[in-house]
Amino acid sequence: MPSRPAGAPFRSPVPYRRLVRLYAGLALYGFSDALLIRAHLGLDPWDVFHQGLSQHSGMSIGVVSIVVGAAVLLLWWPIRQRPGLGTVSNVVMVGTFIDLTMAVVPQYDALAVRIPLMVAAVVLNGAATGLYITARFGPGPRDGLMTGLHRRTGRSLRLIRTGIELSVLAAGFVLGGGVGVGTVVYALAIGPLAQFFLKRFALPVPGEGAERRTVEEGGEGQGSGPAAGSAGVRDHTPEPAAVDPI
């Protein structure tokens, strides 16, 4: 077993900092999604779809998010996408934290509360996207579907993402999901917010020396959203890069 040189800093084989980023980001993503739902001013495209399905299935929106995320993950197989720890964690954690937050945050009627709640939700969703993407454990299932189709078809990521999100938005609207000013605010703000937080939370990638770059995983949320996430997650970045193993 090779010994550590004298004076060299100890480096744990377990990337604790990245794991904390991943799970803090996913928890925050679900929390911010729930705040946007409670604001009742319109959701991101995927959550419009989730809410519509929830109303017709009797399942909570968090459970629907988990079921849809798992179904989308199955679509990775024919396009040869490989999930990472972050992908599987995204499926479970975002929906779980949506339901946990919904259980403790009440519905408000006053616009004086709902508007700040909407703004906070969108900003926190952008921060959550930056955290879980820079952890480098793989994209969310919805983001990976977009980037996988981009690589397999050669079509632009913007075109594929727009097509998918318009489709789920239309389906969610028909099912009774909430479309409103919050949907527009999210669509316009989440991309710049995600890019801002990706730069703020960027970590140096091993093997690149002093050069620092943000690993850009296809958005989960997704959101998530026109990102992550919702769930981001749900990413807003143009092209996927390497996923670091544990």
Side-chain angles (χ1 to χ4, degrees):
M1 180 180 297
S3 59
R4 179 166 56 95
F10 173 75
R11 295 190 178 183
S12 169
V14 180
Y16 294 109
R17 287 181 60 195
R18 289 172 47 223
L19 286 170
V20 169
R21 278 174 178 256
L22 171 65
Y23 291 112
L26 293 177
L28 184 60
Y29 206 105
F31 174 75
S32 62
D33 272 2
L35 294 186
L36 195 57
I37 295 167
R38 285 304 192 209
H40 202 61
L41 290 169
L43 308 176
D44 69 272
W46 278 102
D47 280 338
V48 171
F49 182 57
H50 297 153
Q51 189 177 61
L53 286 177
S54 174
Q55 292 174 1
H56 287 270
S57 67
M59 294 186 292
S60 70
I61 190 169
V63 171
V64 169
S65 175
I66 293 171
V67 171
V68 171
V72 171
L73 192 55
L74 293 177
L75 298 177
W76 282 33
W77 181 74
I79 58 176
R80 299 181 182 179
Q81 282 280 89
R82 294 198 301 179
L85 174 66
T87 309
V88 179
S89 299
N90 184 300
V91 172
V92 177
M93 283 198 62
V94 172
T96 299
F97 274 87
I98 288 175
D99 280 352
L100 287 175
T101 305
M102 296 278 286
V104 297
V105 176
Q107 179 70 57
Y108 297 96
D109 294 325
L111 277 175
V113 176
R114 290 161 56 202
I115 292 175
L117 203 61
M118 175 193 70
V119 173
V122 175
V123 173
L124 290 175
N125 200 272
T129 299
L131 279 172
Y132 91 79
I133 290 176
T134 56
R136 301 196 302 265
F137 283 115
R142 299 157 185 84
D143 308 322
L145 176 64
M146 296 177 196
T147 55
L149 288 173
H150 162 66
R151 283 199 297 270
R152 295 291 292 175
T153 66
R155 302 283 185 178
S156 74
L157 187 61
R158 183 180 299 274
L159 176 63
I160 291 172
R161 177 181 153 189
T162 300
I164 292 176
E165 293 193 347
L166 285 177
S167 298
V168 297
L169 178 63
F173 178 73
V174 170
L175 291 169
V179 177
V181 65
T183 309
V184 177
V185 170
Y186 189 97
L188 294 176
I190 195 64
L193 282 170
Q195 288 294 83
F196 171 79
F197 284 110
L198 282 166
K199 291 178 181 179
R200 294 285 294 181
F201 297 145
L203 290 171
V205 177
E208 293 195 350
E211 182 182 352
R212 299 169 69 97
R213 66 181 175 91
T214 299
V215 174
E216 296 177 333
E217 308 286 0
E220 166 312 191
Q222 281 165 48
S224 292
S230 262
V233 350
R234 314 197 198 148
D235 189 331
H236 317 278
T237 52
E239 189 64 43
V243 176
D244 294 344
I246 295 181

